[in-house]
Amino acid sequence: MSAALIGLAAGGCFVTIFAGVGIFMLVKYFQDKKKSEESQAWSATSGQITESYVRESQSRDSEGYTSTSYYSEVRYLYQVMGVEYNGDKVAFGGSVGGSRKKASERIAQYPVGKTVTVYYDPNNHEDAVLERRIGSKGMLIIGIIFTLIGVCTACAGGVAAIAALMNS
């Protein structure tokens, strides 16, 4: 097998992974966006904050560098038609880590014991949020970047493959 074919196969895997992850993230973002729009018609009830804290998460890269991200964690209780539910979703979209300051500011809005408005899906009472919006556009931004990297790499690989075929 020639080096050019091995390179194309490796590049194809790279493109597939990057584009696949990017497309997945874009689909997830737009599903969350649609759900946030639908939630404008959801029912509301009162609830109470039961937990509110900053969670720290450390990760280490291949070179041994450690990075720390902070996440705001909020849990609440609410009742619908006499049945008690637990919720932990503040807004739609995944939890995005950031600075300790940003996470602390977030949980300051939801101290333990605070009475809050909980918006719940009338067809699925366990699906609830405190804010009927998308929490972060991180999924959209990263999805676009990954998809663009995949597409640009595929185009560059296609040009290289054509050039290799023309020179052989």
Side-chain angles (χ1 to χ4, degrees):
M1 186 181 279
S2 74
L5 286 177
I6 292 172
L8 280 174
C13 289
F14 177 82
V15 167
T16 302
I17 290 169
F18 257 81
V21 169
I23 291 168
F24 170 80
M25 294 178 92
L26 289 172
V27 167
K28 177 75 172 113
Y29 173 81
F30 285 107
Q31 286 174 338
D32 288 340
K33 185 175 188 301
K34 181 177 184 238
K35 196 152 188 179
S36 76
E37 291 166 358
E38 291 171 350
S39 74
Q40 301 304 311
W42 283 6
S43 302
T45 189
S46 64
Q48 187 167 33
I49 303 297
T50 58
E51 289 183 73
S52 183
Y53 62 94
V54 174
R55 178 174 56 87
E56 182 178 305
S57 176
Q58 292 189 335
S59 61
R60 186 179 307 268
D61 67 14
S62 61
E63 296 175 6
Y65 293 105
T66 301
S67 65
T68 305
S69 295
Y70 300 90
Y71 298 85
S72 55
E73 299 288 342
V74 177
R75 298 196 191 339
Y76 49 92
L77 285 175
Y78 62 101
Q79 284 190 8
V80 178
M81 298 180 355
V83 178
E84 191 168 83
Y85 296 93
N86 292 297
D88 62 3
K89 198 180 325 178
V90 173
F92 294 99
S95 178
V96 177
S99 69
R100 180 189 298 269
K101 180 182 177 194
K102 190 171 182 178
S104 296
E105 289 170 355
R106 186 78 169 143
I107 65 163
Q109 298 173 350
Y110 298 106
V112 172
K114 180 179 181 179
T115 299
V116 291
T117 300
V118 179
Y119 302 96
Y120 65 92
D121 183 342
N123 299 315
N124 178 10
H125 300 164
E126 292 178 351
D127 194 4
V129 292
L130 300 179
E131 300 173 13
R132 297 179 290 188
R133 63 176 186 80
I134 293 183
S136 169
K137 292 201 181 230
M139 191 81 76
L140 174 65
I141 293 165
I142 295 170
I144 290 170
I145 291 169
F146 272 54
T147 302
L148 285 174
I149 288 171
V151 168
C152 290
T153 305
C155 290
V159 169
I162 291 169
L165 288 172
M166 292 178 82
N167 291 330
S168 57

